Amino acid sequence: MLKKLPQLLVLLMAVLSYSCSSKKTESRIRSDFNKDWYFTLADSTLDASNPTFDDSQWRQLRLPHDWSIEGEFSQDNPAGVGGGALPGGIGWYRKSFVVPKADSAKNIFIDFDGVYMNSEVWINGELLGKRPNGYISFRYELTPHLKFGEENVVAVKVNNSVQPNSRWYSGSGIYRNVRLVKTSNVFVDHWGAKVTTPEVSKSQAKVRIALQINNRGDAGEVNVINTVVDQNGKTIAELSEVQNLQTGTNQLTYDMAVQAPHLWSVADPFMHKVITKIENESGELDIYETPLGFRFYEFDSEKGFVLNGEQLKILGVCNHHDLGALGAAVNTRALQRQLEIMKEMGVNGIRTAHNPPAPELLALCDSMGFIVMDEVFDMWAKKKSEYDYSLYWDEWHEKDLVDFIKRDQNHPSIFMWSIGNEILEQWDSTGITIAKELADKVRELDDRPITSALNDPQPHNNIYKSGALDIVGFNYSHKLYEDFQKNFPGEVFIATETTSALATRGHYDMPSDTIKRWPIRWDLEFTEGNADNTVSAYDHVSTPWGSTHEETWKIMKKHDFLTGMYIWTGFDYLGEPTPYGWPSRSSYFGIVDLAGFPKDAYYMYQSEWTDKDVLHVFPHWNWAEGEAVDIWAYYNNADEVELFLNGESQGIRKNEGDDLHVMWRIPFEAGTLKAVSRKDGKEVLTKEIKTAGAAAQIELLADRSSIQADGKDLSFVTVKVLDKDGNLVPNAANLIEFELEGNGNIIAVDNGDPTSMEAFQAKQRKTFKGLALVVIQSDEVKGEIKLTAKSEGLTQKELTIGTH
């Protein structure tokens, strides 16, 4: 029953959209199903599954959607500070749509990339199923329940009310993409194509295509055409075979040869795809595309990681799934920006800590060149949080594991599977049994190496003793790295999680040449720290189980058998604000803060992990007159660095031994610091830091000045508070107000402060250490967006972004 005019318009548009779709010649149509949902938060008594339910007062929105990020921070929220101090609850989503009668002979499916958590889905009042895992992707068939040519209603209940169920911020809702898929009666099943390269070299490759084809009609004899196409659209191989399909499921395998394949690597992530077409005399029955990358590699106990015949150290980071101020709601551009920032640092690896990621992340890793450790579970049968996935382990873990592997198995960026992170069963014999079970199931489906992140990385570890692992995963324990070959003879090493260094961007405690472990021990109350919950951004603070960035990398870089590392973490994330509690609500672990602004350690890695010239000097130069200040510099491609204060040399410093930075301690004197790096006596780089005056003006810098008018694309605008001479004011905390005109919206603001209780969805933000961020999203009309930033006492600034 139609309840209101807006729904009538939605219905009309859906009819027109599907009518247009039905005229297409494609046999398989994948439609964006994210628009025009209705949403409400409710209590446990609400049942909105009936199609006649009146949702006229609900909020209309576009998926993906995370309702928790819209809430208020509170230490009383059930998720706790570890979960980001944001609310959970029960949410309902409903959407009306029409499938034209012309499609009544088709098969219609709905695909969810992820719903957090405990989702239940109905179509026209019929329950399709439940899925407790908030990170897994799943599909339901709608066909038998649809009313073709009439209104249909899909309803989704999401229950994230029983908390804590996560050790970090999870988000709540249909926070990943949803699609409607339409096929004929002969089609490749969901995740029904597996493409492997059993033989690859620089001169030739074999491509094996294993298909699961569903025949629901009387197709009988069909022609199956598999075409390998490179990223430029060039066909490099093709195979056509006539098959006699049986009714039901058909398993078919094809082998194809490719000469001189263009290999995939982190420096040149060249992609291919396999296009599978199924045809008969009446025309095309299905078309299905599968990503493909040609590469060969090994993990060797002596040489480490070898890709395409060349040794390569894995330089990776772990990241949680949230996107800072955007919460858990996935956005491809936001993910891409994160990866771009990491790539600029020199990162070549991503660990999906600690759960199946959004499919968009893996596609980006394919195309941008990252070595991915794809991880499936943070816990097994033993719980880490009161209401976590362990509650559903017995019933769901095998199904979730199989779906995880099948969904992700064709991504060339994935080089290993992780079956668990810091699993509690590693300390008892059940670890042996479960590890074997999981590894056996993975090997039934795929032959990539298996690891598990062990935070007790010793030969007595039960998960290791199971024999299930191809690669021994070390979480922390950096002092044991160099004894690995003695303790684990013949085994392969990977540092699954390292470092856990702590820092607040732009905050500095001196002296800086003493390492601090905060807290002193993980199980003791933290009584040290700073009154404002800051942590010094010199690289001299870490957790007791971890190490500083320099401590870890100094060891890792020395030995080939140390295959590589995944640092905890690339970005700050919501929740788990170690070493503090409330009023901190996000982490301090990131090399980059929550808003995407690099901390100083970023440049240490850039100097070590890239070939570009680096000279990074810090901290700022606004201190009390005469105060002793430690000046650090990270540099490369040079022999020395000389520091000048107001033109007077403060001495030359050179990295000694395995040092990764140089330092001066000098009394503060207002003016200009200048650092000069030299190679063979010739200047390489010069950097200056000037004492900033009073805040006087605003600067706006967009990461992209032109974005797509698709209702999804984003421009991330950095806001800086400067003095009258254009110097960043390092401790500025000005409240900046934003106005927007034109074809877009402000969808989030942030400043990277882990203690800020300001709302992310707002039109204002205080700067933190002189910086803030505005995230602008396009609408679907091309034109211009004009952003204006104002603050009392500061000269306002305008910025224009084009949409196309």
Side-chain angles (χ1 to χ4, degrees):
M1 182 174 108
L2 297 176
K3 278 89 59 183
K4 56 188 182 300
L5 182 58
Q7 278 197 340
L8 181 60
L9 293 174
V10 168
L11 177 60
L12 178 59
M13 291 180 71
V15 172
L16 292 173
S17 173
Y18 261 89
S19 296
C20 292
S21 298
S22 67
K23 294 175 184 177
K24 295 179 181 179
T25 58
E26 295 100 324
S27 53
R28 174 187 292 261
I29 297 177
R30 299 170 78 248
S31 303
D32 182 318
F33 207 58
N34 290 323
K35 288 185 179 180
D36 301 320
W37 287 78
Y38 287 82
F39 166 77
T40 194
L41 286 172
D43 60 32
S44 59
T45 63
L46 179 68
D47 181 0
S49 62
N50 193 306
T52 62
F53 182 89
D54 182 7
D55 56 18
S56 60
Q57 300 304 308
W58 289 14
R59 169 184 168 196
Q60 188 176 10
L61 52 75
R62 180 175 186 165
L63 304 177
H65 173 238
D66 171 11
W67 78 70
S68 290
I69 201 68
E70 301 166 354
E72 294 184 4
F73 293 105
S74 172
Q75 60 183 328
D76 298 326
N77 281 324
V81 176
L86 285 165
I90 297 174
W92 278 89
Y93 298 83
R94 286 167 54 90
K95 177 179 170 74
S96 300
F97 65 105
V98 173
V99 182
K101 289 183 178 180
D103 287 339
S104 60
K106 303 292 185 181
N107 301 287
I108 314 295
F109 305 90
I110 188 169
D111 290 352
F112 292 89
D113 285 344
V115 182
Y116 202 91
M117 60 177 290
N118 283 313
S119 66
E120 299 174 72
V121 182
W122 290 263
I123 180 69
N124 296 331
E126 297 289 334
L127 180 65
L128 296 174
K130 302 180 180 181
R131 204 69 185 242
N133 191 322
Y135 299 105
I136 208 72
S137 299
F138 54 94
R139 160 178 285 188
Y140 294 123
E141 182 165 7
L142 305 181
T143 318
H145 311 289
L146 291 174
K147 297 180 287 185
F148 291 92
E150 301 178 40
E151 182 190 49
N152 298 275
V153 178
V154 61
V156 182
K157 180 183 180 182
V158 185
N159 190 342
N160 193 20
S161 62
V162 183
Q163 296 182 332
N165 54 52
S166 175
R167 299 185 299 118
W168 55 85
Y169 177 75
S170 65
S172 302
I174 307 179
Y175 72 110
R176 292 179 180 168
N177 286 296
V178 183
R179 287 170 300 280
L180 215 61
V181 180
K182 178 174 67 176
T183 73
S184 73
N185 278 330
V186 175
F187 59 96
V188 177
D189 267 331
H190 191 37
W191 306 322
K194 180 181 180 181
V195 176
T196 55
T197 51
E199 298 174 16
V200 183
S201 69
K202 294 179 180 179
S203 59
Q204 61 183 0
K206 178 190 285 185
V207 180
R208 178 161 294 158
I209 304 162
L211 298 175
Q212 182 170 299
I213 298 177
N214 201 317
N215 178 18
R216 293 184 171 182
D218 54 359
E221 194 171 89
V222 300
N223 191 23
V224 180
I225 307 163
N226 290 296
T227 306
V228 180
V229 178
D230 72 16
Q231 66 183 29
N232 299 318
K234 180 182 177 182
T235 296
I236 62 171
E238 188 167 271
L239 177 65
S240 176
E241 287 192 6
V242 175
Q243 302 283 169
N244 191 15
L245 297 181
Q246 304 300 310
T247 301
T249 301
N250 296 260
Q251 305 284 353
L252 306 174
T253 303
Y254 305 91
D255 286 332
M256 304 171 67
V258 172
Q259 301 303 313
H262 190 149
L263 298 181
W264 186 100
S265 68
V266 294
D268 181 21
F270 194 86
M271 288 294 295
H272 297 74
K273 63 182 175 182
V274 175
I275 302 173
T276 300
K277 289 184 180 179
I278 307 171
E279 301 176 343
N280 67 5
E281 61 214 13
S282 64
E284 184 180 283
L285 300 173
D286 196 16
I287 184 167
Y288 192 96
E289 294 187 0
T290 309
L292 167 64
F294 292 103
R295 76 281 190 279
F296 59 97
Y297 67 96
E298 62 176 323
F299 287 90
D300 185 88
S301 61
E302 294 290 339
K303 295 181 290 185
F305 180 62
V306 182
L307 177 61
N308 301 332
E310 299 180 6
Q311 283 182 294
L312 178 70
K313 187 78 79 174
I314 297 173
L315 310 173
V317 295
C318 306
N319 273 331
H320 276 318
H321 70 296
D322 78 69
L323 294 169
L326 301 177
V330 73
N331 179 280
T332 301
R333 172 56 198 159
L335 288 168
Q336 183 185 47
R337 173 183 180 252
Q338 285 195 339
L339 294 177
E340 287 171 350
I341 292 169
M342 291 291 98
K343 202 75 169 178
E344 186 71 13
M345 186 180 101
V347 172
N348 66 17
I350 298 292
R351 175 186 177 214
T352 69
H354 304 290
N355 41 260
E360 291 83 1
L361 176 68
L362 297 176
L364 286 166
C365 288
D366 288 346
S367 64
M368 297 176 70
F370 290 92
I371 307 296
V372 174
M373 179 193 299
D374 203 4
E375 191 159 75
V376 62
F377 297 125
D378 184 49
M379 74 291 295
W380 293 349
K382 290 189 174 183
K383 68 183 178 182
K384 293 181 177 179
S385 302
E386 187 65 27
Y387 303 105
D388 65 20
Y389 182 72
S390 63
L391 296 173
Y392 315 102
W393 177 261
D394 289 343
E395 181 179 359
W396 283 101
H397 75 271
E398 182 175 345
K399 171 66 172 169
D400 287 340
L401 177 63
V402 169
D403 286 353
F404 161 75
I405 299 293
K406 285 186 172 182
R407 189 198 71 169
D408 293 354
Q409 63 190 350
N410 292 308
H411 289 284
S413 59
I414 297 174
F415 285 74
M416 64 195 106
W417 307 107
S418 172
I419 56 175
N421 170 66
E422 299 184 352
I423 298 300
L424 298 181
E425 284 85 347
Q426 66 189 296
W427 283 284
D428 67 53
S429 60
T430 58
I432 296 175
T433 305
I434 298 176
K436 283 181 177 179
E437 176 208 346
L438 299 178
D440 286 348
K441 182 57 65 175
V442 173
R443 291 188 178 104
E444 284 179 22
L445 301 167
D446 192 81
D447 62 0
R448 270 165 281 204
I450 297 170
T451 190
S452 183
L454 309 177
N455 54 322
D456 181 25
Q458 301 279 1
H460 62 245
N461 186 292
N462 284 289
I463 295 177
Y464 170 71
K465 284 167 60 178
S466 72
L469 306 181
D470 301 299
I471 305 175
V472 182
F474 268 48
N475 273 20
Y476 308 104
S477 304
H478 68 288
K479 292 180 180 179
L480 300 178
Y481 289 1
E482 293 184 290
D483 291 332
F484 178 80
Q485 290 181 311
K486 179 180 70 177
N487 293 333
F488 296 88
E491 298 282 15
V492 176
F493 169 97
I494 185 71
T496 39
E497 188 170 316
T498 74
T499 311
S500 275
L502 304 168
T504 300
R505 174 186 55 79
H507 176 82
Y508 306 95
D509 293 332
M510 287 168 275
S512 64
D513 51 0
T514 300
I515 290 177
K516 303 175 184 179
R517 307 298 185 197
W518 284 6
I520 295 174
R521 213 172 70 196
W522 70 271
D523 57 342
L524 296 179
E525 183 181 357
F526 183 50
T527 58
E528 299 175 71
N530 298 326
D532 59 356
N533 280 25
T534 53
V535 181
S536 178
Y538 295 113
D539 182 26
H540 68 138
V541 187
S542 84
T543 60
W545 58 85
S547 48
T548 66
H549 294 286
E550 291 197 24
E551 284 180 300
T552 315
W553 176 239
K554 282 179 183 179
I555 300 171
M556 182 65 61
K557 68 186 290 188
K558 290 180 181 179
H559 305 286
D560 287 343
F561 73 84
L562 299 176
T563 300
M565 63 195 289
Y566 291 92
I567 301 163
W568 193 264
T569 52
F571 282 78
D572 281 342
Y573 55 92
L574 289 162
E576 209 170 19
T578 308
Y580 296 108
W582 184 263
S584 296
R585 46 68 168 160
S586 58
S587 84
Y588 296 78
F589 293 116
I591 304 168
V592 176
D593 76 12
L594 200 69
F597 302 137
K599 304 177 188 179
D600 295 292
Y602 180 95
Y603 301 97
M604 185 214 85
Y605 289 109
Q606 192 176 69
S607 71
E608 289 283 305
W609 290 3
T610 75
D611 294 327
K612 66 187 71 176
D613 292 336
V614 174
L615 175 59
H616 178 67
V617 184
F618 61 101
H620 58 81
W621 202 234
N622 278 61
W623 302 93
E625 194 71 24
E627 180 178 0
V629 181
D630 290 353
I631 309 298
W632 284 33
Y634 296 123
Y635 72 97
N636 66 358
N637 301 336
D639 304 315
E640 63 185 30
V641 180
E642 186 170 8
L643 184 70
F644 299 86
L645 174 56
N646 294 329
E648 183 177 339
S649 177
Q650 304 299 305
I652 293 173
R653 300 287 188 270
K654 301 179 180 182
N655 281 337
E656 303 289 342
D658 60 0
D659 288 345
L660 301 178
H661 76 275
V662 292
M663 189 190 95
W664 299 259
R665 180 169 293 155
I666 61 177
F668 174 74
E669 175 187 303
T672 300
L673 277 180
K674 183 173 80 168
V676 180
S677 63
R678 302 186 186 96
K679 177 75 173 177
D680 298 326
K682 295 182 179 180
E683 182 178 311
V684 178
L685 289 174
T686 298
K687 292 294 173 71
E688 289 188 346
I689 306 173
K690 296 183 178 181
T691 303
Q697 58 181 313
I698 300 169
E699 183 177 36
L700 300 177
L701 300 170
D703 69 333
R704 293 184 306 154
S705 59
S706 180
I707 61 177
Q708 297 181 57
D710 60 1
K712 304 175 187 177
D713 205 2
L714 305 176
S715 181
F716 290 82
V717 180
T718 298
V719 183
K720 295 183 177 182
V721 172
L722 309 177
D723 69 7
K724 63 181 178 58
D725 297 318
N727 300 305
L728 180 72
V729 181
N731 292 311
N734 301 70
L735 179 65
I736 314 293
E737 297 179 338
F738 305 106
E739 297 176 0
L740 199 72
E741 299 176 24
N743 306 111
N745 297 284
I746 294 173
I747 63 165
V749 292
D750 197 3
N751 61 16
D753 179 2
T755 68
S756 173
M757 298 302 151
E758 298 169 275
F760 290 125
Q761 281 69 47
K763 299 294 177 67
Q764 62 182 29
R765 190 70 168 197
K766 288 182 180 179
T767 55
F768 178 65
K769 307 297 183 182
L771 300 178
L773 180 75
V774 184
V775 187
I776 295 173
Q777 187 168 58
S778 64
D779 59 24
E780 295 183 336
V781 179
K782 67 179 182 178
E784 285 188 344
I785 301 170
K786 186 174 79 170
L787 174 68
T788 302
K790 301 177 181 179
S791 183
E792 185 176 353
L794 304 184
T795 302
Q796 74 177 47
K797 188 73 172 179
E798 295 179 353
L799 176 73
T800 300
I801 297 166
T803 65
H804 62 88

